[in-house]
Amino acid sequence: MTELVERFVALPDIFAASPIFAIGLTLSAFFAGNWLFARMGRPVWMPPVVLSAVMLAAVIAVLSVDYVRYQEGALWITVLLGPATVALGIPLYQQIHHIRAMWIPIVVTLPLAATMAAVYAVVIAWAMGATPEVLASLAPKSVTAPIAIGITEQLGGSVPLMMGGLLITGVVATLFVDLLAKWLPVEDERILGFALGLNGHAIGTARAFEISHTAGAFASLGMGLTGVFTALILPLVFRL
Amino acid sequence: MSMLRGFLILVLFFLFGEALRLVFLIPVSGGVLGMILMTLTLMLRGRVSDALASSSQALISILVLLIMPGVVGVFFMASQFSGQWLAVSAALLLGTFLSVLTTLLLMKSMVRLSARSQAND
């Protein structure tokens, strides 16, 4: 009997070594988060990604699975982000007539807004006494993860810190867009989508696709352009 | 089958983007380069195949799932912020609020402006 219990207790350790465990865990949390979100009446201030992430983090902590090991297994999921980013080119193409009709606002807004997204964060953190390493990690906070990693390394920041800032930014950008859309008010799905992608990268883009296909296409555009623009400009600005 | 064929096209574009990035040392990720190439290719061809449309739809609908393992990382890196928690949170919360506000106001006024100039034409 005690042998049975021992073998049972050893299970999480054995499972943790296999990617299929990380996949099962992530998928479960994903569906549980969506289910809970629907049960809570789809609250704007608590997106499903946060619910899923909190549950996933709790399970990882309770089972005392090593986080780094979980990440290795979950690579089977995260590696799909590459082709998924390419996939954003398809709604972009399908909505190209909308984008053509709005090219002037886009061309004017993008450089200003993408620069300010970095400047606000860096100036606030600098005024509150953050170190240069932290500033370099915060600067690309609105840029999609694969590009942001490259920027942070170039600026001499810390990649884990940047990733944390990136994720928090994505979630709060989603909340603020929903909030400010009501306050200002902004009803144009194209504007909301563009703001979601520009400020909230992949997390904002995922939210935009929940609004509509058009919002999603504008978010993909905002995310892509912000990524390219910031990657080219930020290293130049930071040298000054 | 057709969904897998569409997925293969996405993977090939991603690999092509990665190849460009690595060979020409472009500071932009392979995914975004692939996305740009994909949009340009489709604009030249003038249509999207069903296979490509259905597999891209499938991937986009699980975007949240794909970013989740990364999102969880926030809970396991609290110590990295130590001492600068306040500055970092203020920068992230206030900074993001301001930048979202800037984007929405700028975009809104630009859309109104360009609509008015088009009406005048």
Side-chain angles (χ1 to χ4, degrees), chain A residues 52 56 67 71 93 102 120-121 130-131 134 141 147 160-161 167 169 176 185 199 231, chain B residues 27 46-48 68-70 72-73 77 81 84 91-93 96 99 102-103 108:
Chain A
S52 302
L56 187 52
Y67 175 67
Q71 282 277 293
Y93 162 74
M102 273 191 54
Y120 286 136
T131 59
V134 170
K141 75 181 183 58
I147 300 182
L161 182 63
L167 302 164
T169 302
F176 289 150
N199 294 291
Chain B
R47 59 177 205 89
V48 190
M68 249 176 57
V72 180
M77 56 159 300
F81 282 108
Q84 310 206 21
L92 291 177
L93 295 178
T96 304
S99 77
T102 309
T103 315
K108 196 183 175 184

PDB file of all heavy atoms in Angstrom, chain A residues 52 56 67 71 93 102 120-121 130-131 134 141 147 160-161 167 169 176 185 199 231, chain B residues 27 46-48 68-70 72-73 77 81 84 91-93 96 99 102-103 108:
ATOM      1  N   SER A  52      -6.943  31.994 -17.073  1.00  0.00           N
ATOM      2  CA  SER A  52      -6.217  30.768 -17.407  1.00  0.00           C
ATOM      3  C   SER A  52      -4.817  30.788 -16.809  1.00  0.00           C
ATOM      4  O   SER A  52      -4.357  29.792 -16.248  1.00  0.00           O
ATOM      5  CB  SER A  52      -6.108  30.618 -18.919  1.00  0.00           C
ATOM      6  OG  SER A  52      -7.365  30.610 -19.513  1.00  0.00           O
ATOM      7  N   LEU A  56      -3.220  28.190 -14.176  1.00  0.00           N
ATOM      8  CA  LEU A  56      -2.047  27.424 -14.591  1.00  0.00           C
ATOM      9  C   LEU A  56      -0.898  27.621 -13.593  1.00  0.00           C
ATOM     10  O   LEU A  56      -0.259  26.650 -13.165  1.00  0.00           O
ATOM     11  CB  LEU A  56      -1.631  27.888 -15.992  1.00  0.00           C
ATOM     12  CG  LEU A  56      -0.532  27.124 -16.710  1.00  0.00           C
ATOM     13  CD1 LEU A  56      -0.855  25.643 -16.733  1.00  0.00           C
ATOM     14  CD2 LEU A  56      -0.396  27.637 -18.136  1.00  0.00           C
ATOM     15  N   TYR A  67       9.308  25.435 -13.005  1.00  0.00           N
ATOM     16  CA  TYR A  67       8.766  26.302 -14.052  1.00  0.00           C
ATOM     17  C   TYR A  67       9.571  26.206 -15.351  1.00  0.00           C
ATOM     18  O   TYR A  67       9.008  26.183 -16.444  1.00  0.00           O
ATOM     19  CB  TYR A  67       8.707  27.759 -13.573  1.00  0.00           C
ATOM     20  CG  TYR A  67       8.276  28.696 -14.666  1.00  0.00           C
ATOM     21  CD1 TYR A  67       6.984  28.627 -15.177  1.00  0.00           C
ATOM     22  CD2 TYR A  67       9.159  29.606 -15.223  1.00  0.00           C
ATOM     23  CE1 TYR A  67       6.576  29.454 -16.207  1.00  0.00           C
ATOM     24  CE2 TYR A  67       8.758  30.436 -16.262  1.00  0.00           C
ATOM     25  CZ  TYR A  67       7.475  30.358 -16.745  1.00  0.00           C
ATOM     26  OH  TYR A  67       7.085  31.169 -17.774  1.00  0.00           O
ATOM     27  N   GLN A  71       8.247  25.173 -19.048  1.00  0.00           N
ATOM     28  CA  GLN A  71       8.476  25.984 -20.248  1.00  0.00           C
ATOM     29  C   GLN A  71       9.045  25.147 -21.387  1.00  0.00           C
ATOM     30  O   GLN A  71       8.676  25.318 -22.540  1.00  0.00           O
ATOM     31  CB  GLN A  71       9.439  27.133 -19.921  1.00  0.00           C
ATOM     32  CG  GLN A  71       8.776  28.269 -19.198  1.00  0.00           C
ATOM     33  CD  GLN A  71       8.068  29.205 -20.153  1.00  0.00           C
ATOM     34  OE1 GLN A  71       8.680  29.883 -20.933  1.00  0.00           O
ATOM     35  NE2 GLN A  71       6.748  29.212 -20.101  1.00  0.00           N
ATOM     36  N   TYR A  93      -4.642  40.829 -45.388  1.00  0.00           N
ATOM     37  CA  TYR A  93      -4.920  40.907 -46.825  1.00  0.00           C
ATOM     38  C   TYR A  93      -6.427  41.037 -47.089  1.00  0.00           C
ATOM     39  O   TYR A  93      -6.855  41.836 -47.924  1.00  0.00           O
ATOM     40  CB  TYR A  93      -4.358  39.670 -47.540  1.00  0.00           C
ATOM     41  CG  TYR A  93      -4.977  39.468 -48.896  1.00  0.00           C
ATOM     42  CD1 TYR A  93      -4.633  40.294 -49.960  1.00  0.00           C
ATOM     43  CD2 TYR A  93      -5.939  38.478 -49.111  1.00  0.00           C
ATOM     44  CE1 TYR A  93      -5.228  40.135 -51.200  1.00  0.00           C
ATOM     45  CE2 TYR A  93      -6.532  38.313 -50.340  1.00  0.00           C
ATOM     46  CZ  TYR A  93      -6.175  39.144 -51.387  1.00  0.00           C
ATOM     47  OH  TYR A  93      -6.770  39.003 -52.603  1.00  0.00           O
ATOM     48  N   MET A 102      -7.800  53.947 -44.943  1.00  0.00           N
ATOM     49  CA  MET A 102      -7.379  54.641 -43.721  1.00  0.00           C
ATOM     50  C   MET A 102      -5.885  54.874 -43.661  1.00  0.00           C
ATOM     51  O   MET A 102      -5.335  55.063 -42.581  1.00  0.00           O
ATOM     52  CB  MET A 102      -7.820  53.827 -42.498  1.00  0.00           C
ATOM     53  CG  MET A 102      -9.210  54.218 -42.124  1.00  0.00           C
ATOM     54  SD  MET A 102      -9.824  53.635 -40.596  1.00  0.00           S
ATOM     55  CE  MET A 102      -8.747  54.060 -39.347  1.00  0.00           C
ATOM     56  N   TYR A 120       6.686  57.210 -22.621  1.00  0.00           N
ATOM     57  CA  TYR A 120       5.936  57.326 -21.361  1.00  0.00           C
ATOM     58  C   TYR A 120       6.523  56.401 -20.304  1.00  0.00           C
ATOM     59  O   TYR A 120       6.848  56.821 -19.188  1.00  0.00           O
ATOM     60  CB  TYR A 120       4.463  56.949 -21.573  1.00  0.00           C
ATOM     61  CG  TYR A 120       3.616  57.970 -22.304  1.00  0.00           C
ATOM     62  CD1 TYR A 120       2.730  57.562 -23.292  1.00  0.00           C
ATOM     63  CD2 TYR A 120       3.676  59.326 -21.984  1.00  0.00           C
ATOM     64  CE1 TYR A 120       1.931  58.472 -23.969  1.00  0.00           C
ATOM     65  CE2 TYR A 120       2.887  60.243 -22.661  1.00  0.00           C
ATOM     66  CZ  TYR A 120       2.019  59.814 -23.647  1.00  0.00           C
ATOM     67  OH  TYR A 120       1.234  60.703 -24.311  1.00  0.00           O
ATOM     68  N   ALA A 121       6.676  55.124 -20.675  1.00  0.00           N
ATOM     69  CA  ALA A 121       7.136  54.135 -19.701  1.00  0.00           C
ATOM     70  C   ALA A 121       8.543  54.447 -19.216  1.00  0.00           C
ATOM     71  O   ALA A 121       8.818  54.421 -18.010  1.00  0.00           O
ATOM     72  CB  ALA A 121       7.087  52.738 -20.323  1.00  0.00           C
ATOM     73  N   ALA A 130      14.449  54.238 -11.572  1.00  0.00           N
ATOM     74  CA  ALA A 130      14.785  52.903 -12.062  1.00  0.00           C
ATOM     75  C   ALA A 130      16.189  52.904 -12.672  1.00  0.00           C
ATOM     76  O   ALA A 130      16.655  53.928 -13.179  1.00  0.00           O
ATOM     77  CB  ALA A 130      13.757  52.451 -13.099  1.00  0.00           C
ATOM     78  N   THR A 131      16.869  51.761 -12.604  1.00  0.00           N
ATOM     79  CA  THR A 131      18.223  51.643 -13.151  1.00  0.00           C
ATOM     80  C   THR A 131      18.171  51.571 -14.688  1.00  0.00           C
ATOM     81  O   THR A 131      17.138  51.219 -15.250  1.00  0.00           O
ATOM     82  CB  THR A 131      18.905  50.364 -12.634  1.00  0.00           C
ATOM     83  OG1 THR A 131      18.109  49.249 -13.043  1.00  0.00           O
ATOM     84  CG2 THR A 131      19.024  50.370 -11.124  1.00  0.00           C
ATOM     85  N   VAL A 134      16.765  48.392 -16.061  1.00  0.00           N
ATOM     86  CA  VAL A 134      15.306  48.294 -16.002  1.00  0.00           C
ATOM     87  C   VAL A 134      14.684  49.132 -17.114  1.00  0.00           C
ATOM     88  O   VAL A 134      13.736  48.693 -17.777  1.00  0.00           O
ATOM     89  CB  VAL A 134      14.787  48.733 -14.614  1.00  0.00           C
ATOM     90  CG1 VAL A 134      13.267  48.884 -14.614  1.00  0.00           C
ATOM     91  CG2 VAL A 134      15.211  47.733 -13.558  1.00  0.00           C
ATOM     92  N   LYS A 141       8.068  47.578 -24.317  1.00  0.00           N
ATOM     93  CA  LYS A 141       6.946  46.894 -23.661  1.00  0.00           C
ATOM     94  C   LYS A 141       5.714  46.710 -24.543  1.00  0.00           C
ATOM     95  O   LYS A 141       4.865  45.891 -24.243  1.00  0.00           O
ATOM     96  CB  LYS A 141       6.553  47.634 -22.389  1.00  0.00           C
ATOM     97  CG  LYS A 141       5.799  48.922 -22.647  1.00  0.00           C
ATOM     98  CD  LYS A 141       5.464  49.623 -21.359  1.00  0.00           C
ATOM     99  CE  LYS A 141       4.648  50.870 -21.583  1.00  0.00           C
ATOM    100  NZ  LYS A 141       3.374  50.680 -22.276  1.00  0.00           N
ATOM    101  N   ILE A 147      10.134  40.071 -31.327  1.00  0.00           N
ATOM    102  CA  ILE A 147      10.902  41.268 -31.709  1.00  0.00           C
ATOM    103  C   ILE A 147      11.478  41.924 -30.461  1.00  0.00           C
ATOM    104  O   ILE A 147      12.627  42.370 -30.445  1.00  0.00           O
ATOM    105  CB  ILE A 147      10.013  42.276 -32.474  1.00  0.00           C
ATOM    106  CG1 ILE A 147       9.463  41.631 -33.733  1.00  0.00           C
ATOM    107  CG2 ILE A 147      10.800  43.525 -32.826  1.00  0.00           C
ATOM    108  CD1 ILE A 147       8.620  42.562 -34.576  1.00  0.00           C
ATOM    109  N   PRO A 160      13.989  38.390 -19.015  1.00  0.00           N
ATOM    110  CA  PRO A 160      12.840  37.986 -18.182  1.00  0.00           C
ATOM    111  C   PRO A 160      12.032  39.174 -17.684  1.00  0.00           C
ATOM    112  O   PRO A 160      10.803  39.142 -17.675  1.00  0.00           O
ATOM    113  CB  PRO A 160      13.495  37.247 -17.005  1.00  0.00           C
ATOM    114  CG  PRO A 160      14.833  36.867 -17.463  1.00  0.00           C
ATOM    115  CD  PRO A 160      15.251  37.873 -18.486  1.00  0.00           C
ATOM    116  N   LEU A 161      12.720  40.254 -17.281  1.00  0.00           N
ATOM    117  CA  LEU A 161      12.033  41.462 -16.813  1.00  0.00           C
ATOM    118  C   LEU A 161      11.183  42.048 -17.941  1.00  0.00           C
ATOM    119  O   LEU A 161      10.024  42.412 -17.750  1.00  0.00           O
ATOM    120  CB  LEU A 161      13.060  42.485 -16.319  1.00  0.00           C
ATOM    121  CG  LEU A 161      12.497  43.784 -15.747  1.00  0.00           C
ATOM    122  CD1 LEU A 161      11.678  43.501 -14.518  1.00  0.00           C
ATOM    123  CD2 LEU A 161      13.620  44.748 -15.403  1.00  0.00           C
ATOM    124  N   LEU A 167       3.934  41.286 -20.817  1.00  0.00           N
ATOM    125  CA  LEU A 167       2.683  40.580 -20.558  1.00  0.00           C
ATOM    126  C   LEU A 167       1.721  41.466 -19.783  1.00  0.00           C
ATOM    127  O   LEU A 167       0.536  41.540 -20.095  1.00  0.00           O
ATOM    128  CB  LEU A 167       2.981  39.292 -19.796  1.00  0.00           C
ATOM    129  CG  LEU A 167       3.946  38.398 -20.565  1.00  0.00           C
ATOM    130  CD1 LEU A 167       4.551  37.334 -19.672  1.00  0.00           C
ATOM    131  CD2 LEU A 167       3.256  37.765 -21.750  1.00  0.00           C
ATOM    132  N   THR A 169       1.736  44.710 -19.768  1.00  0.00           N
ATOM    133  CA  THR A 169       1.313  45.748 -20.717  1.00  0.00           C
ATOM    134  C   THR A 169       0.182  45.238 -21.610  1.00  0.00           C
ATOM    135  O   THR A 169      -0.817  45.927 -21.809  1.00  0.00           O
ATOM    136  CB  THR A 169       2.491  46.176 -21.609  1.00  0.00           C
ATOM    137  OG1 THR A 169       3.529  46.644 -20.776  1.00  0.00           O
ATOM    138  CG2 THR A 169       2.076  47.272 -22.578  1.00  0.00           C
ATOM    139  N   PHE A 176      -7.533  48.976 -20.754  1.00  0.00           N
ATOM    140  CA  PHE A 176      -7.646  50.419 -20.965  1.00  0.00           C
ATOM    141  C   PHE A 176      -8.355  50.744 -22.280  1.00  0.00           C
ATOM    142  O   PHE A 176      -9.100  51.718 -22.351  1.00  0.00           O
ATOM    143  CB  PHE A 176      -6.262  51.084 -20.916  1.00  0.00           C
ATOM    144  CG  PHE A 176      -5.666  51.128 -19.538  1.00  0.00           C
ATOM    145  CD1 PHE A 176      -4.288  51.096 -19.349  1.00  0.00           C
ATOM    146  CD2 PHE A 176      -6.475  51.217 -18.415  1.00  0.00           C
ATOM    147  CE1 PHE A 176      -3.732  51.140 -18.075  1.00  0.00           C
ATOM    148  CE2 PHE A 176      -5.934  51.266 -17.136  1.00  0.00           C
ATOM    149  CZ  PHE A 176      -4.559  51.224 -16.967  1.00  0.00           C
ATOM    150  N   PRO A 185     -16.160  58.858 -26.424  1.00  0.00           N
ATOM    151  CA  PRO A 185     -16.170  57.427 -26.722  1.00  0.00           C
ATOM    152  C   PRO A 185     -15.609  57.173 -28.120  1.00  0.00           C
ATOM    153  O   PRO A 185     -15.676  58.030 -28.976  1.00  0.00           O
ATOM    154  CB  PRO A 185     -17.673  57.116 -26.692  1.00  0.00           C
ATOM    155  CG  PRO A 185     -18.332  58.397 -27.134  1.00  0.00           C
ATOM    156  CD  PRO A 185     -17.375  59.539 -26.843  1.00  0.00           C
ATOM    157  N   ASN A 199      -0.615  48.949 -28.849  1.00  0.00           N
ATOM    158  CA  ASN A 199      -0.216  49.012 -27.439  1.00  0.00           C
ATOM    159  C   ASN A 199      -0.102  47.643 -26.782  1.00  0.00           C
ATOM    160  O   ASN A 199       0.703  47.455 -25.878  1.00  0.00           O
ATOM    161  CB  ASN A 199      -1.219  49.856 -26.650  1.00  0.00           C
ATOM    162  CG  ASN A 199      -1.201  51.302 -27.077  1.00  0.00           C
ATOM    163  OD1 ASN A 199      -0.252  52.016 -26.838  1.00  0.00           O
ATOM    164  ND2 ASN A 199      -2.253  51.724 -27.761  1.00  0.00           N
ATOM    165  N   ALA A 231      11.667  48.382 -33.507  1.00  0.00           N
ATOM    166  CA  ALA A 231      12.936  47.672 -33.657  1.00  0.00           C
ATOM    167  C   ALA A 231      13.961  48.527 -34.393  1.00  0.00           C
ATOM    168  O   ALA A 231      15.156  48.490 -34.102  1.00  0.00           O
ATOM    169  CB  ALA A 231      12.709  46.359 -34.413  1.00  0.00           C
TER     170      ALA A 231
ATOM    171  N   PRO B  27      16.626  43.355 -37.625  1.00  0.00           N
ATOM    172  CA  PRO B  27      16.226  43.320 -36.211  1.00  0.00           C
ATOM    173  C   PRO B  27      14.728  43.066 -36.005  1.00  0.00           C
ATOM    174  O   PRO B  27      14.159  43.495 -35.019  1.00  0.00           O
ATOM    175  CB  PRO B  27      16.613  44.715 -35.709  1.00  0.00           C
ATOM    176  CG  PRO B  27      16.497  45.585 -36.906  1.00  0.00           C
ATOM    177  CD  PRO B  27      16.853  44.726 -38.086  1.00  0.00           C
ATOM    178  N   GLY B  46      -3.918  38.015 -55.483  1.00  0.00           N
ATOM    179  CA  GLY B  46      -5.287  38.514 -55.545  1.00  0.00           C
ATOM    180  C   GLY B  46      -6.331  37.607 -54.933  1.00  0.00           C
ATOM    181  O   GLY B  46      -7.516  37.904 -54.990  1.00  0.00           O
ATOM    182  N   ARG B  47      -5.925  36.469 -54.349  1.00  0.00           N
ATOM    183  CA  ARG B  47      -6.919  35.620 -53.675  1.00  0.00           C
ATOM    184  C   ARG B  47      -6.236  34.707 -52.645  1.00  0.00           C
ATOM    185  O   ARG B  47      -5.022  34.481 -52.705  1.00  0.00           O
ATOM    186  CB  ARG B  47      -7.700  34.777 -54.677  1.00  0.00           C
ATOM    187  CG  ARG B  47      -6.812  33.855 -55.500  1.00  0.00           C
ATOM    188  CD  ARG B  47      -7.623  32.979 -56.437  1.00  0.00           C
ATOM    189  NE  ARG B  47      -6.860  31.760 -56.737  1.00  0.00           N
ATOM    190  CZ  ARG B  47      -6.920  30.656 -56.004  1.00  0.00           C
ATOM    191  NH1 ARG B  47      -7.713  30.580 -54.949  1.00  0.00           N
ATOM    192  NH2 ARG B  47      -6.191  29.601 -56.321  1.00  0.00           N
ATOM    193  N   VAL B  48      -7.039  34.203 -51.687  1.00  0.00           N
ATOM    194  CA  VAL B  48      -6.541  33.288 -50.661  1.00  0.00           C
ATOM    195  C   VAL B  48      -7.151  31.918 -50.901  1.00  0.00           C
ATOM    196  O   VAL B  48      -8.360  31.807 -51.118  1.00  0.00           O
ATOM    197  CB  VAL B  48      -6.971  33.743 -49.243  1.00  0.00           C
ATOM    198  CG1 VAL B  48      -6.244  32.945 -48.180  1.00  0.00           C
ATOM    199  CG2 VAL B  48      -6.736  35.221 -49.052  1.00  0.00           C
ATOM    200  N   MET B  68      -0.114  31.699 -23.634  1.00  0.00           N
ATOM    201  CA  MET B  68      -0.308  31.401 -22.205  1.00  0.00           C
ATOM    202  C   MET B  68       0.947  30.948 -21.464  1.00  0.00           C
ATOM    203  O   MET B  68       1.219  31.451 -20.377  1.00  0.00           O
ATOM    204  CB  MET B  68      -1.414  30.387 -22.032  1.00  0.00           C
ATOM    205  CG  MET B  68      -2.635  31.010 -21.393  1.00  0.00           C
ATOM    206  SD  MET B  68      -3.951  29.845 -21.288  1.00  0.00           S
ATOM    207  CE  MET B  68      -3.203  28.547 -20.351  1.00  0.00           C
ATOM    208  N   PRO B  69       1.723  29.998 -22.007  1.00  0.00           N
ATOM    209  CA  PRO B  69       2.916  29.574 -21.261  1.00  0.00           C
ATOM    210  C   PRO B  69       3.828  30.752 -20.923  1.00  0.00           C
ATOM    211  O   PRO B  69       4.437  30.787 -19.854  1.00  0.00           O
ATOM    212  CB  PRO B  69       3.598  28.593 -22.213  1.00  0.00           C
ATOM    213  CG  PRO B  69       2.505  28.073 -23.073  1.00  0.00           C
ATOM    214  CD  PRO B  69       1.556  29.224 -23.253  1.00  0.00           C
ATOM    215  N   GLY B  70       3.898  31.739 -21.800  1.00  0.00           N
ATOM    216  CA  GLY B  70       4.705  32.926 -21.528  1.00  0.00           C
ATOM    217  C   GLY B  70       4.071  33.798 -20.457  1.00  0.00           C
ATOM    218  O   GLY B  70       4.753  34.301 -19.577  1.00  0.00           O
ATOM    219  N   VAL B  72       2.240  32.970 -17.976  1.00  0.00           N
ATOM    220  CA  VAL B  72       2.412  32.377 -16.650  1.00  0.00           C
ATOM    221  C   VAL B  72       3.743  32.793 -16.024  1.00  0.00           C
ATOM    222  O   VAL B  72       3.863  32.892 -14.802  1.00  0.00           O
ATOM    223  CB  VAL B  72       2.336  30.841 -16.752  1.00  0.00           C
ATOM    224  CG1 VAL B  72       2.503  30.199 -15.401  1.00  0.00           C
ATOM    225  CG2 VAL B  72       1.011  30.438 -17.350  1.00  0.00           C
ATOM    226  N   GLY B  73       4.723  33.078 -16.869  1.00  0.00           N
ATOM    227  CA  GLY B  73       6.046  33.457 -16.384  1.00  0.00           C
ATOM    228  C   GLY B  73       6.032  34.623 -15.412  1.00  0.00           C
ATOM    229  O   GLY B  73       6.872  34.704 -14.519  1.00  0.00           O
ATOM    230  N   MET B  77       8.543  35.318 -11.637  1.00  0.00           N
ATOM    231  CA  MET B  77       9.704  36.196 -11.773  1.00  0.00           C
ATOM    232  C   MET B  77       9.617  37.405 -10.860  1.00  0.00           C
ATOM    233  O   MET B  77      10.310  38.381 -11.055  1.00  0.00           O
ATOM    234  CB  MET B  77       9.833  36.652 -13.223  1.00  0.00           C
ATOM    235  CG  MET B  77       8.587  37.328 -13.738  1.00  0.00           C
ATOM    236  SD  MET B  77       8.931  38.354 -15.146  1.00  0.00           S
ATOM    237  CE  MET B  77      10.084  39.462 -14.424  1.00  0.00           C
ATOM    238  N   PHE B  81      11.866  41.931  -9.985  1.00  0.00           N
ATOM    239  CA  PHE B  81      11.407  43.308  -9.882  1.00  0.00           C
ATOM    240  C   PHE B  81      11.811  43.935  -8.552  1.00  0.00           C
ATOM    241  O   PHE B  81      11.580  45.116  -8.348  1.00  0.00           O
ATOM    242  CB  PHE B  81       9.875  43.372  -9.969  1.00  0.00           C
ATOM    243  CG  PHE B  81       9.323  43.248 -11.358  1.00  0.00           C
ATOM    244  CD1 PHE B  81       8.662  42.107 -11.768  1.00  0.00           C
ATOM    245  CD2 PHE B  81       9.445  44.295 -12.249  1.00  0.00           C
ATOM    246  CE1 PHE B  81       8.141  41.998 -13.040  1.00  0.00           C
ATOM    247  CE2 PHE B  81       8.919  44.197 -13.533  1.00  0.00           C
ATOM    248  CZ  PHE B  81       8.276  43.052 -13.918  1.00  0.00           C
ATOM    249  N   GLN B  84      12.445  47.715  -7.269  1.00  0.00           N
ATOM    250  CA  GLN B  84      12.011  48.692  -8.261  1.00  0.00           C
ATOM    251  C   GLN B  84      10.566  48.445  -8.653  1.00  0.00           C
ATOM    252  O   GLN B  84      10.088  48.930  -9.675  1.00  0.00           O
ATOM    253  CB  GLN B  84      12.915  48.598  -9.496  1.00  0.00           C
ATOM    254  CG  GLN B  84      14.352  48.632  -9.104  1.00  0.00           C
ATOM    255  CD  GLN B  84      15.236  49.157 -10.209  1.00  0.00           C
ATOM    256  OE1 GLN B  84      14.790  49.833 -11.122  1.00  0.00           O
ATOM    257  NE2 GLN B  84      16.502  48.847 -10.118  1.00  0.00           N
ATOM    258  N   ALA B  91       5.303  52.671 -14.331  1.00  0.00           N
ATOM    259  CA  ALA B  91       5.641  52.827 -15.752  1.00  0.00           C
ATOM    260  C   ALA B  91       4.700  51.992 -16.612  1.00  0.00           C
ATOM    261  O   ALA B  91       4.221  52.447 -17.646  1.00  0.00           O
ATOM    262  CB  ALA B  91       7.089  52.426 -16.002  1.00  0.00           C
ATOM    263  N   LEU B  92       4.415  50.757 -16.170  1.00  0.00           N
ATOM    264  CA  LEU B  92       3.582  49.868 -16.971  1.00  0.00           C
ATOM    265  C   LEU B  92       2.127  50.323 -16.970  1.00  0.00           C
ATOM    266  O   LEU B  92       1.498  50.411 -18.022  1.00  0.00           O
ATOM    267  CB  LEU B  92       3.688  48.429 -16.457  1.00  0.00           C
ATOM    268  CG  LEU B  92       5.041  47.754 -16.681  1.00  0.00           C
ATOM    269  CD1 LEU B  92       5.046  46.372 -16.065  1.00  0.00           C
ATOM    270  CD2 LEU B  92       5.360  47.663 -18.166  1.00  0.00           C
ATOM    271  N   LEU B  93       1.593  50.645 -15.782  1.00  0.00           N
ATOM    272  CA  LEU B  93       0.169  50.979 -15.698  1.00  0.00           C
ATOM    273  C   LEU B  93      -0.109  52.368 -16.262  1.00  0.00           C
ATOM    274  O   LEU B  93      -0.873  52.531 -17.201  1.00  0.00           O
ATOM    275  CB  LEU B  93      -0.311  50.885 -14.243  1.00  0.00           C
ATOM    276  CG  LEU B  93      -0.274  49.478 -13.638  1.00  0.00           C
ATOM    277  CD1 LEU B  93      -0.723  49.499 -12.194  1.00  0.00           C
ATOM    278  CD2 LEU B  93      -1.155  48.529 -14.442  1.00  0.00           C
ATOM    279  N   THR B  96       1.052  52.748 -19.978  1.00  0.00           N
ATOM    280  CA  THR B  96       0.170  52.100 -20.947  1.00  0.00           C
ATOM    281  C   THR B  96      -1.144  52.865 -21.067  1.00  0.00           C
ATOM    282  O   THR B  96      -1.680  53.028 -22.161  1.00  0.00           O
ATOM    283  CB  THR B  96      -0.081  50.635 -20.541  1.00  0.00           C
ATOM    284  OG1 THR B  96       1.184  49.991 -20.407  1.00  0.00           O
ATOM    285  CG2 THR B  96      -0.896  49.907 -21.574  1.00  0.00           C
ATOM    286  N   SER B  99      -0.441  55.828 -23.242  1.00  0.00           N
ATOM    287  CA  SER B  99      -0.193  55.519 -24.649  1.00  0.00           C
ATOM    288  C   SER B  99      -1.468  55.036 -25.343  1.00  0.00           C
ATOM    289  O   SER B  99      -1.681  55.332 -26.511  1.00  0.00           O
ATOM    290  CB  SER B  99       0.963  54.539 -24.810  1.00  0.00           C
ATOM    291  OG  SER B  99       0.572  53.238 -24.493  1.00  0.00           O
ATOM    292  N   THR B 102      -3.349  58.249 -25.973  1.00  0.00           N
ATOM    293  CA  THR B 102      -2.730  58.957 -27.096  1.00  0.00           C
ATOM    294  C   THR B 102      -3.158  58.340 -28.421  1.00  0.00           C
ATOM    295  O   THR B 102      -3.568  59.042 -29.346  1.00  0.00           O
ATOM    296  CB  THR B 102      -1.191  58.894 -26.979  1.00  0.00           C
ATOM    297  OG1 THR B 102      -0.819  59.320 -25.676  1.00  0.00           O
ATOM    298  CG2 THR B 102      -0.524  59.771 -28.015  1.00  0.00           C
ATOM    299  N   THR B 103      -3.058  57.007 -28.515  1.00  0.00           N
ATOM    300  CA  THR B 103      -3.386  56.324 -29.769  1.00  0.00           C
ATOM    301  C   THR B 103      -4.835  56.578 -30.166  1.00  0.00           C
ATOM    302  O   THR B 103      -5.118  56.933 -31.320  1.00  0.00           O
ATOM    303  CB  THR B 103      -3.173  54.804 -29.631  1.00  0.00           C
ATOM    304  OG1 THR B 103      -1.935  54.567 -28.982  1.00  0.00           O
ATOM    305  CG2 THR B 103      -3.176  54.128 -30.980  1.00  0.00           C
ATOM    306  N   LYS B 108      -8.534  58.906 -33.702  1.00  0.00           N
ATOM    307  CA  LYS B 108      -9.895  59.409 -33.847  1.00  0.00           C
ATOM    308  C   LYS B 108      -9.897  60.750 -34.589  1.00  0.00           C
ATOM    309  O   LYS B 108     -10.654  60.945 -35.536  1.00  0.00           O
ATOM    310  CB  LYS B 108     -10.532  59.574 -32.462  1.00  0.00           C
ATOM    311  CG  LYS B 108     -12.039  59.708 -32.499  1.00  0.00           C
ATOM    312  CD  LYS B 108     -12.603  59.948 -31.108  1.00  0.00           C
ATOM    313  CE  LYS B 108     -14.113  60.206 -31.193  1.00  0.00           C
ATOM    314  NZ  LYS B 108     -14.681  60.539 -29.885  1.00  0.00           N
TER     315      LYS B 108
END
